[in-house]
Amino acid sequence: MIDILTKKEHWDDIISSKHNLLSLNLQEVWRYRDLLLMFVKRDFVTFYKQTILGPIWFFVQPIFTTIIYTFVFGNLAQISTDEAPPILFYLAGITCWNYFADSFNKTSTTFVSNQAIFGKVYFPRLIIPLSIVTSNLMKFGIQFGLFLGVWMYYLLTNSTIHPNIGILIVPVLILMMACLSLGTGLIITSLTTKYRDMTFLLQFAIQLLMYGTPVIYPLSTVPSEYKWLVLINPMTSIIETFKHAFIGKGTFELNQLGISFLLITIILFLGIIIFNRTEKNFMDTV
Amino acid sequence: MSQTVIKIESLSKQYRLGQVGTGTLSHDLNRWWANIRGREDPFKKVTTINDRNIADGGEYVWALKDINFEVEKGEILGIIGKNGAGKSTLLKILSKVTGPTTGTIKTKGRIASLLEVGTGFHPEMTGRENIYMNGTLNGMRRHEIKAKLDEIIDFAGVAKYLDTPTKRYSSGMTVRLGFAVAAFLEPEILIVDEVLAVGDFEFQDKAIGRMSEISGQSGRTILFVSHNMGAIQRLCTKAIHLQNGEVSDIGETSRVIGRYFSKDSKKNNVLRDLSTEFAGIIIKLFKFNQPKAGFNQPIKFEFIISTNLQANEIRIGVGINNSLSNRVVTTSSTITTSSHDEKFSIELANHYLPPDNYEVSLGLDLGGNTIFFSNNILQFEISADEILNPLLVERSGRLGVFLPNKTIHNN
């Protein structure tokens, strides 16, 4: 600012070693929106190139996982599903969890797996994690369609399902999952550019986190002394609300959801700030 | 009116040598501690100058040190220098791929950089999809690319393969397509690294033509790194010579190129050993006492050649290139070598070469097979002292064999 005033010069861009911590550069991201769409398109096109079944493969994973969970957790371990039909119960949990886990997993390797392209051309780096979250959203859309199909079947043949007005906030739940996976992914990828130790822990951590989230069990079965531990996880209230809306089982508490919302907002902002700070010089250390 | 579009002020870039790993964490903690107390980075002091030949044990190196220069609108600036002189680092900082350690760069207008041809090309996607991918990656909007699509396809000359995945393309075709997108980006400032080396001659010519067209028509600024002095000379209005991360020379193109070569030749005119393992050939540059000669003064150099072949007829070829890398002289003759050191001399008399810096290459041929070839084994300079024609000095390199005035008679 001082520079412009004293020298009466106008510059479009100033590259320097100092950066403003809070400049998020979101207008620039918006200018590159076509690139975001190209990345999403690339992810999709290359996913089913040279396959016979094509996008149908997106269905395979949730179907198989549901069958396995129904068998292992439902029939063998006899874990309660709160009297909800097990297949629908697991499918609901898996559809949501997969979206979060896949987006988180992929955004957390943004720097390492894109270093070739980052080393050759400048564009707002945030485009890559945003495109990952978006293309996983497409995948989620397809899998959500599968869930809706199964749900319709149970709705027509089974009287234990009580969908309610909560369905209206499902778009908010999806947005929350997107922001949470983006925020956590941004933090992890920024921390792992120089020291890769965290990447080894990540796979394990995501697995563990799933068991800390009511995916395969309802929140109501958690012993009350551990309940806070499960509730601190923002995914808990998202999945519980989701199940409550469609199946009528599970817990729905607005203030719990509000706390998760707040937590996710903080994580996302923190993630963007750390990410923007890292992107400037990560090429030298990655 | 000239207008400065790039202003670089005391720009430096520090790199850590060796591997990121052991010791990095302690350095990071040290840095962080100094930063908290408001002290200077403790590792800036131990940073050494960037000369890749000297292993002085320093852990940090200045890839660029205190660079200052300005570029004006419409200029085509050529950046020359040896490998590791900091050319690519400079371009990387300019294209925001990495940040500077100290200093600032101020720019006006959109910058597009071509550090690599076809960045972001996905082998599974078709040529058309990749045009969009690469274009948007360089900051173009979709509709902008659509408007230019026909021109891009035409320039790349790959119309037939447009809907084929690029993994089926030859490397030359990929380069053509990649450059074509960049050529129609229309940024205010275009940054081009040594990317033309891959294409065939026709394409290189086309690419250079397109670059001067971009700059000439619409006053766009181009920064161009190349080892091809011919291309630099043809294209650039101004050149900058980087040496060990510092600006060693900046100014009018042919002067900078000329000084670059003469600096080099001072170093290299010692006796050189060019021996190769192959066929046990020993070649030694034995004597060369004429690194700088006046116009049409004889140039003479001597070699020792011995092979492990018994008395053989070897064809020896000598080529001389001018500072634009164009071949100006070729000569060859058959010699007989033996396992003893045999001395050969090559003498150029009445060569009529115009003042310039020249490079000599040497090849040996046995029964139709090349058994030895080396480019740039030595350099020499023909100085302008002896002739009075000022035209010659200015256009050095662009003239062929220069015949003296008496060639043209009034009948």
Side-chain angles (χ1 to χ4, degrees), chain B residues 294-336:
Chain B
F295 179 69
N296 217 17
Q297 296 289 305
I299 306 277
K300 190 176 175 184
F301 34 89
E302 291 176 14
F303 288 95
I304 289 173
I305 298 179
S306 76
T307 64
N308 57 5
L309 312 160
Q310 287 298 313
N312 246 297
E313 297 260 290
I314 286 185
R315 203 163 179 78
I316 178 166
V318 172
I320 296 172
N321 289 4
N322 67 11
S323 60
L324 307 183
S325 299
N326 294 324
R327 174 61 54 88
V328 287
V329 172
T330 306
T331 176
S332 81
S333 83
T334 307
I335 54 169
T336 310

Side-chain angles (χ1 to χ4, degrees), chain A residues 3 10 12 15 34 195 284, chain B residues 13 28 105-106 109 142:
Chain A
D3 226 80
H10 168 73
D12 291 332
I15 303 168
D34 285 346
Y195 304 107
D284 306 338
Chain B
K13 177 75 184 175
D28 277 356
I105 299 178
K106 295 169 182 168
R142 236 189 125 74

Side-chain angles (χ1 to χ4, degrees), chain A residues 3 10-17 33-34 38-39 46 49-50 118-119 122 194-195 280-281 284, chain B residues 13 15 25 28 95-101 104-109 122 124 133 136 141-142 167:
Chain A
D3 226 80
H10 168 73
W11 300 100
D12 291 332
D13 198 2
I14 295 177
I15 303 168
S16 107
S17 51
R33 59 192 181 276
D34 285 346
M38 277 312 296
F39 276 125
T46 54
K49 275 251 163 110
Q50 292 200 357
F118 283 174
Y122 174 80
K194 203 165 188 177
Y195 304 107
K280 301 278 193 312
N281 276 310
D284 306 338
Chain B
K13 177 75 184 175
Y15 275 118
L25 186 61
D28 277 356
S95 37
K96 294 208 280 185
V97 162
T98 187
T101 308
T104 52
I105 299 178
K106 295 169 182 168
T107 56
K108 250 177 238 173
H122 195 290
E124 293 286 351
M133 185 79 228
T136 48
R141 298 294 316 278
R142 236 189 125 74
K167 65 177 172 183

Side-chain angles (χ1 to χ4, degrees), chain B residues 175-217:
Chain B
V175 172
R176 278 162 178 267
L177 192 64
F179 186 82
V181 182
F184 291 93
L185 281 176
E186 311 214 326
E188 275 86 22
I189 301 167
L190 181 65
I191 295 172
V192 186
D193 203 349
E194 181 81 296
V195 288
L196 306 173
V198 221
D200 59 18
F201 186 75
E202 179 217 331
F203 183 72
Q204 288 191 16
D205 214 47
K206 213 167 151 184
I208 290 172
R210 174 67 195 165
M211 281 199 275
S212 58
E213 201 180 297
I214 294 172
S215 144
Q217 274 176 2

Side-chain angles (χ1 to χ4, degrees), chain B residues 46-71:
Chain B
V46 298
T47 307
T48 55
I49 193 157
N50 173 21
D51 188 333
R52 67 193 147 84
N53 289 318
I54 302 165
D56 50 11
E59 266 191 280
Y60 291 88
V61 74
W62 290 113
L64 290 175
K65 190 159 173 53
D66 204 22
I67 305 278
N68 289 285
F69 67 89
E70 291 181 9
V71 185

